[in-house]
C-alpha cells in the first residue's frame, strides 16, 4: 500500500466513514414529519448533517487523544498517522461546511444546524463523560430531525417535534444502555428512557396531521 493510500485509510478510520449510512434517515424523517416529499432543502440538510457528523468524529478523537494513547494506541492520532492539529482543523472545516449548506436551505435550517453544531462540540469537548452526555447525544439526534424538517419546509414546524423527541428518547435509551453496560450497572436509567420512547411513540402515532390545504410547500430553489 502506498503512502497516500495509507494516509487516506487513516482518515477513513478517523471519520468512521461506514457509519455515514446512518445519517440521512434523520433528515428524511424530518421531511416526512411535516408531510412533504424530500426536495432540494432536504438534500441540503442531509449534506449538512453528514458534515456535522464527521466533524464530531474528528473532534471526538482529538479530544480523546491522550486517553487513546494509553487504551487505543492503534487509532490514527496516537499512532501518528494523522496529526492532532489536522484533525482539529478538519472538525472546524466540516462544521463550517455543514453550517453553510444548512444556510442555503434557509434561516430556520441554519438555526437548527447551529444548535446541532453547538451540541456536537459541547458533547465532544466536555459533556461526553458527564451525566449530561447521553442527553446531549439524544438532543443531537432530535435536532437532526428538526433540521430536515426546517430545510424541507422552510419553517420550524411544531409538527416535527413528536418525531424528533421520539428519536431523541430512543437515542437516550441506547446511550444509557451502552454506558451502563461498560460500568456493569444500574438498569433504571435505560428502562426509564425506554419507557419514555414507547410513550412518545404512542403519542406520535396519535398526533394530528396538518390538513392537506395547510401543508407548507417546499421552499423554492
Amino acid at each position: 500500500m502506498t503512502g497516500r493510500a495509507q494516509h487516506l485509510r487513516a482518515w477513513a478510520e478517523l471519520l468512521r466513514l461506514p457509519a455515514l449510512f446512518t445519517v440521512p434517515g434523520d433528515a428524511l424523517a424530518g421531511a416526512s414529519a411535516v408531510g412533504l416529499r424530500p426536495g432540494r432543502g432536504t438534500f441540503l440538510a442531509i449534506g449538512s448533517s453528514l458534515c456535522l457528523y464527521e466533524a464530531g468524529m474528528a473532534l471526538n478523537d482529538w479530544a480523546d487523544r491522550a486517553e487513546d494513547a494509553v487504551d487505543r494506541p492503534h487509532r490514527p492520532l496516537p499512532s501518528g498517522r494523522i496529526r492532532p492539529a489536522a484533525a482539529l482543523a478538519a472538525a472546524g472545516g466540516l462544521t463550517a461546511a455543514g453550517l453553510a449548506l444548512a444556510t442555503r436551505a434557509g434561516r430556520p435550517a441554519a438555526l437548527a444546524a447551529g444548535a446541532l453544531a453547538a451540541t456536537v462540540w459541547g458533547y465532544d469537548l466536555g459533556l461526553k463523560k458527564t451525566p449530561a452526555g447521553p442527553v446531549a447525544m439524544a438532543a443531537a439526534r432530535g435536532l437532526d430531525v428538526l433540521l430536515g424538517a426546517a430545510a424541507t419546509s422552510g419553517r420550524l414546524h411544531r409538527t416535527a417535534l413528536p418525531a424528533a423527541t421520539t428519536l431523541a428518547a430512543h437515542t437516550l435509551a441506547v446511550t444509557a444502555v451502552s454506558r451502563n453496560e461498560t460500568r456493569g450497572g444500574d438498569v433504571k436509567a435505560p428502562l426509564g428512557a425506554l419507557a419514555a420512547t414507547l410513550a412518545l411513540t404512542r403519542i406520535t402515532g396519535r398526533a394530528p396531521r396538518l390538513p392537506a390545504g395547510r401543508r407548507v410547500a417546499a421552499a423554492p430553489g
Side-chain angles (χ1 to χ4, degrees):
M1 185 180 294
T2 65
R4 181 177 178 79
Q6 290 177 340
H7 189 63
L8 291 174
R9 183 173 180 176
W11 276 101
E13 184 181 342
L14 175 75
L15 298 175
R16 298 167 177 81
L17 292 184
L20 284 179
F21 293 104
T22 67
V23 176
D26 292 350
L28 294 173
S32 177
V34 294
L36 295 171
R37 292 182 179 179
R40 173 180 176 271
T42 314
F43 294 108
L44 287 170
I46 290 173
S48 175
S49 296
L50 290 170
C51 288
L52 294 176
Y53 182 88
E54 292 291 40
M57 293 298 100
L59 189 63
N60 175 77
D61 276 26
W62 180 84
D64 287 351
R65 63 194 186 281
E67 179 182 330
D68 285 347
V70 176
D71 297 333
R72 293 171 287 275
H74 60 280
R75 293 291 302 158
L77 268 62
S79 66
R81 289 177 290 152
I82 295 176
R83 293 181 296 107
L88 183 60
L94 286 163
T95 299
L99 294 175
L101 287 169
T103 299
R104 293 188 63 185
R107 189 166 184 267
L111 290 173
L116 176 56
T119 303
V120 169
W121 280 72
Y123 175 82
D124 282 331
L125 295 183
L127 298 176
K128 179 168 54 178
K129 297 175 183 177
T130 72
V135 177
M137 179 71 76
R141 291 301 300 272
L143 286 167
D144 211 15
V145 174
L146 295 180
L147 170 58
T152 302
S153 67
R155 292 176 55 189
L156 292 172
H157 270 289
R158 286 185 297 177
T159 51
L161 284 174
T165 306
T166 300
L167 181 58
H170 172 72
T171 303
L172 180 61
V174 172
T175 306
V177 168
S178 299
R179 179 170 287 198
N180 277 273
E181 280 180 348
T182 60
R183 297 175 180 176
D186 191 0
V187 298
K188 292 179 182 177
L191 287 178
L194 180 58
T197 302
L198 295 173
L200 286 165
T201 300
R202 188 172 183 179
I203 293 170
T204 302
R206 294 179 176 178
R209 292 276 183 178
L210 284 175
R214 295 182 59 190
R215 290 186 183 179
V216 181

